[in-house]
Amino acid sequence: MKRRDFIRISGAAGLGAATGALPGCGVEPRVPRDSEAVVTPTVCEVCFWRCAGYAHVHDGRPWKVSGHPDDPHSGGRLCTRGTAGPGAWDDPSRLRQPLLREGKPGQQRFRPVSWDEALGYIAERLQRIAREHGPERVALFSHGSGGAFFRHLLRAYGADTYAAPSFAQCRGPRDVGFRLTFGELLGSPERTDMARSRCIVLIGSHLGENLHNGQVQDFIGAIEAGASVITVDPRFSVAAAKSRYWLPIRPGTDLALLLAWTHVIVGEGLYDRDYVQRYCHGLAELTRHVEPFTPEWAWLETGIDPQVIRETAREMARHAPATLVHPGRHVTWYGDDTQRSRAIAILNALLGSWGRPGGFYAPEKVSLPEYPTPPYPKSKAADLQARRGGFPFADADVTNAVIDASVGERPYYRGWIVYGTNLPLSIPAVTGKLEEASQKLDLFVVVDVQPAEVTGYADVVLPECTYLERYDELRNAPEREPSLALRMPALAPRYETKPAWWIARELGHRLGLGAWFPWQDYAEVLDWQLQQVGSSLAEMQRVGLKRFPRKTAAYFTPGQAVRFRTPTGKIELHSTELAKAGLDPLPRYTPPEETPAGFLRLVYGRAPAHTFGRTGNNPLLFQLMPENTLWVHPDAARPRGLASGQRVRLKNQDGAVSLPVRVRVTERIRPDCVYLAHGFGHTAPGLNLARGAGADDTGLMTRVKVDPLMGGTGMRANFVTLMAEGKPA
Ligand SMILES: Nc1nc2c(c(=O)[nH]1)N[C@H]1C(S)=C(S)[C@@H](COP(=O)(O)OP(=O)(O)OC[C@H]3O[C@@H](n4cnc5c(=O)[nH]c(N)nc54)[C@H](O)[C@@H]3O)O[C@H]1N2
Ligand SMILES: Nc1nc2c(c(=O)[nH]1)N[C@H]1C(S)=C(S)[C@@H](COP(=O)(O)OP(=O)(O)OC[C@H]3O[C@@H](n4cnc5c(=O)[nH]c(N)nc54)[C@H](O)[C@@H]3O)O[C@H]1N2
Ligand code: SF4
Ligand SMILES: [Mo]
């Protein structure tokens, strides 16, 4: 696909989305002229790439959201999902007022209450927990912009546990693996220099379906410029379709392939000698370690022809250092994920791509001072075991460990605040635990925009307004060029919804923590911060996004002396930290569990038109893709008597059964696995469109393979059988 095709397709989808009259959505079919709309800057929150753009409001309704032309995250174009932002505002299921539980936990029976009553209830419970157990026994789960305000509130209160699914269910293994190797994290947006890559290796990363906007544009740009793409995926993904090589790997054996590639690169002397000598520690150990991992050995594990393994290794070396072995983003797959990420990091080090054009650049953000408030109280820190589950390389709090520490005989945590994360659909293998936690906790608050499944466990549900109706912190993301972007309210909050900053401030004052909220309106904080860097809120309201000059170089200069933030000051091929902890200092391959007879491995990924489960009820995106389908290879479909369009239920190895989902028979997947886009199969009664549409992968993940280094939950350890429902549609 050419870049302009991408623009046209995403633009066309967006236009269709913004103008189509939908039942229950109420979007006017008449397209207003640009001059009729009031335009204000925004930052998209439909996913966490956070593109900067503009909200166009006409007649008191948002009629479109467009990209900011100067934005490095979006190149001025929003993706399909971002363009459907007005649907988030117009979602008929939106929460409208605070709710207090009436029925039992797990039942969605609530009584609408005033903000005063809801906040009074929460403040009273928080004070009681602090008095009886200590404030450190309150945990924050968070994913999304407004979580920062609750983090600030809870730190002022004395609670420091802060767990996000973006660590233990997403990027954690990769960030830990790269930190152990290079001494630095990859961040978001990833510091990958893909636009300049000459060779791109994608291990699973399904760019194009994974629609992180700027990244997909860089990927397309690189392909247009002739980059060679090698995609490793058991499924013929969109990225595979754009690749020179597609390696349909046996699921769970990527580490064997990575070791064999390393074997070839080291054995044939294809690595960057000067770079490795100058910057790397442990080449001798690595050379010894990979000796046995020949392409022939890897063939038996991965099913990939040894000649293809050799050819692709040489292809990577030919283009180095402009070869990017992409670190991926969602990498909690099989439990050996930190080690697999280490193997990816090692390969990049050998190719000399870290700190070089076409590999990884050094990102920079704006040094933006925090608004002055008193230091947080030095209260007792939460028990590290409770927060991080005792995982030696957990660099952040571990969602599943915090959940575990909230159940059982003597639960550690007494209160939860859950902001913008739908725990039952995002954290596998916790359903029973969530029920138990909701019964045992003294306080369970959910802050959300819609009645997602997680709200069913809460005592109090607080309705946040959508991103189009609020201020949030400035977007200050590490990038090639530093920039600040403003999100401001394009409309007043609808119904009785409120922004997170307001909720946190109100609670702060009720808890006697007013010193941490010495402002009336968050706009004052933004203006103060902007003044410190030579701008102002007024300027940002006008320009939306402001770029700042870089202070350091984005790449190493030839021969530059670099001290890496690792114990040896070098890139650690052989990890001294892992060795010291008695763990494998070089990645060791463990074959995946065999698929039981008659079963298929369940794999999953992203649908381009949706973000997880959060957009299922967006009427515009629902129209584009109302449900997911189950990808099944003809060789797996035939003996089961399945045809495309037929509905099946999936049943996993432990008897968990999904909602019905339509089969898509396709040769684009290996015969030993089936594929579902994540985020469908909602059961929450309030989600009028999404409820019952398609099947949910999380409910089928009753087993996880926990990463022993950082606690991530490997989710690809589940197997399913298929049960036909009725005749082909
Ligand atoms: N449209 C859209 N885009 C998104 C998101 C979204 O919700 N919607 N979410 C964003 C977020 S938070 C994240 S973390 C990223 C995730 O996106 P990625 O980091 O790209 O996620 P992966 O898990 O690598 O991608 C799933 C792919 O892995 C393949 N796969 C399955 N098993 C194996 C295996 O054993 N080996 C290999 N090599 N491949 C395998 C699947 O077939 C599928 O193509 O996407 C981001 N982009
Ligand atoms: N089975 C399975 N599990 C997964 C994954 C998978 O592919 N398969 N992917 C994993 C990955 S990579 C990630 S990053 C996580 C993502 O995990 P989550 O972030 O939990 O993903 P969502 O399901 O989108 O839940 C987001 C919640 O935030 C709410 N929300 C949306 N906008 C706002 C807002 O503006 N304010 C507030 N307060 N709430 C809002 C939504 O209504 C929804 O309830 O999931 C992980 N879990
Ligand atoms: S990638 Fe799409 S959904 Fe995500 S922030 Fe950008 S425009 Fe919004
Ligand atoms: Mo993620």
Side-chain angles (χ1 to χ4, degrees), residues 71 85 106 113 157 171 190 253 262 355 422 477 511 621 678 711:
D71 180 25
V113 294
Y157 162 82
R171 287 152 33 192
E190 284 80 11
T253 64
T262 311
N422 192 10
L511 290 165
L621 295 174
H678 167 66

Side-chain angles (χ1 to χ4, degrees), residues 664-723:
R664 170 181 176 184
V665 178
T666 171
E667 290 185 353
R668 289 177 58 175
I669 182 155
R670 285 173 57 104
D672 55 359
C673 46
V674 287
Y675 177 82
L676 270 183
H678 167 66
F680 294 84
H682 281 282
T683 53
L687 299 175
N688 67 326
L689 299 173
R691 178 168 50 101
D696 161 37
D697 55 338
T698 321
L700 297 163
M701 295 171 178
T702 47
R703 288 188 196 171
V704 288
K705 293 257 187 242
V706 177
D707 189 316
L709 272 60
M710 48 61 70
T713 48
M715 306 184 189
R716 291 181 184 160
N718 294 273
F719 305 97
V720 293
T721 54
L722 310 179
M723 306 184 296

Side-chain angles (χ1 to χ4, degrees), residues 8 88 230 334 347 386 393 483 490 551 726:
R8 202 166 58 226
I230 300 165
Y334 298 101
L347 207 51
F393 291 93
S483 66
K551 297 201 170 107

Side-chain angles (χ1 to χ4, degrees), residues 46-49 79 81 143 166 169-171 174 190 202-213 215-216 231-238 247-254 257 326-334 340 601-615 631 668-669 673-675 678 716:
V46 185
C47 88
F48 299 109
W49 197 250
C79 81
R81 299 164 296 150
H143 200 197
S166 49
Q169 281 66 44
C170 177
R171 287 152 33 192
R174 157 198 111 165
E190 284 80 11
L202 300 177
I203 318 234
S205 305
H206 55 331
L207 306 185
E209 287 154 290
N210 157 356
L211 206 58
H212 274 168
N213 192 350
Q215 176 166 237
V216 177
T231 295
V232 184
D233 197 311
R235 190 177 63 97
F236 190 68
S237 60
V238 168
L247 279 49
I249 195 162
R250 189 161 77 88
T253 64
D254 297 77
L257 174 66
H326 197 290
R329 187 165 175 120
H330 171 69
V331 291
T332 48
W333 297 355
Y334 298 101
R340 187 183 63 253
R601 188 182 288 271
L602 175 68
V603 297
Y604 55 86
R606 303 286 172 242
H610 284 282
T611 306
F612 319 115
R614 58 167 45 212
T615 53
W631 294 37
R668 289 177 58 175
I669 182 155
C673 46
V674 287
Y675 177 82
H678 167 66
R716 291 181 184 160

Side-chain angles (χ1 to χ4, degrees), residues 389-654:
F391 297 103
F393 291 93
D395 290 351
D397 294 348
V398 175
T399 41
N400 31 302
V402 174
I403 294 171
D404 284 345
S406 307
V407 296
E409 284 294 292
R410 295 183 55 227
Y412 179 84
Y413 289 104
R414 310 300 314 185
W416 284 6
I417 296 185
V418 180
Y419 176 92
T421 174
N422 192 10
L423 299 174
L425 264 69
S426 305
I427 322 286
V430 290
T431 321
K433 293 180 191 172
L434 290 181
E435 255 150 42
E436 190 185 335
S438 69
Q439 278 155 24
K440 291 193 170 147
L441 292 168
D442 300 329
L443 178 68
F444 191 143
V445 181
V446 169
V447 187
D448 207 301
V449 290
Q450 61 182 348
E453 284 73 8
V454 67
T455 58
Y457 297 92
D459 317 322
V460 197
V461 180
L462 301 179
E464 192 179 19
C465 55
T466 67
Y467 72 100
L468 294 170
E469 302 158 299
R470 66 190 200 223
Y471 281 115
D472 268 303
E473 288 187 331
L474 292 161
R475 188 196 79 190
N476 182 14
E479 259 284 1
R480 280 188 192 78
E481 263 188 83
S483 66
L484 294 177
L486 175 71
R487 171 185 293 160
M488 64 176 284
L491 298 129
R494 216 176 178 189
Y495 316 118
E496 286 175 44
T497 62
K498 297 283 184 190
W501 66 257
W502 182 91
I503 305 171
R505 183 184 177 283
E506 284 295 310
L507 280 171
H509 281 274
R510 281 166 199 260
L511 290 165
L513 305 171
W516 281 272
F517 297 91
W519 36 269
Q520 287 297 316
D521 192 306
Y522 193 64
E524 295 164 41
V525 177
L526 294 172
D527 192 42
W528 183 88
Q529 283 188 298
L530 287 161
Q531 303 273 357
Q532 311 310 304
V533 293
S535 179
S536 65
L537 184 58
E539 185 195 14
M540 288 299 282
Q541 288 177 338
R542 210 172 53 247
V543 299
L545 180 136
K546 196 173 157 91
R547 293 205 184 210
F548 290 77
R550 276 193 76 99
K551 297 201 170 107
T552 59
Y555 309 105
F556 299 161
T557 50
Q560 184 185 336
V562 182
R563 189 171 167 83
F564 294 86
R565 279 177 242 146
T566 58
T568 54
K570 302 242 173 200
I571 299 172
E572 297 206 343
L573 306 176
H574 179 271
S575 167
T576 47
E577 284 183 72
L578 290 176
K580 202 168 151 206
L583 295 158
D584 289 321
L586 287 157
R588 187 161 54 87
Y589 171 69
T590 333
E593 214 176 310
E594 286 296 327
T595 305
F599 282 80
L600 299 157
R601 188 182 288 271
L602 175 68
V603 297
Y604 55 86
R606 303 286 172 242
H610 284 282
T611 306
F612 319 115
R614 58 167 45 212
T615 53
N617 218 76
N618 177 316
L620 306 175
L621 295 174
F622 178 81
Q623 185 195 38
L624 280 183
M625 183 183 178
E627 59 186 40
N628 54 358
T629 54
L630 181 75
W631 294 37
V632 188
H633 189 275
D635 291 351
R638 214 176 300 112
R640 292 173 173 83
L642 297 174
S644 278
Q646 189 172 355
R647 283 182 184 275
V648 294
R649 285 178 195 261
L650 289 76
K651 183 176 181 182
N652 84 350
Q653 70 284 331
D654 299 320

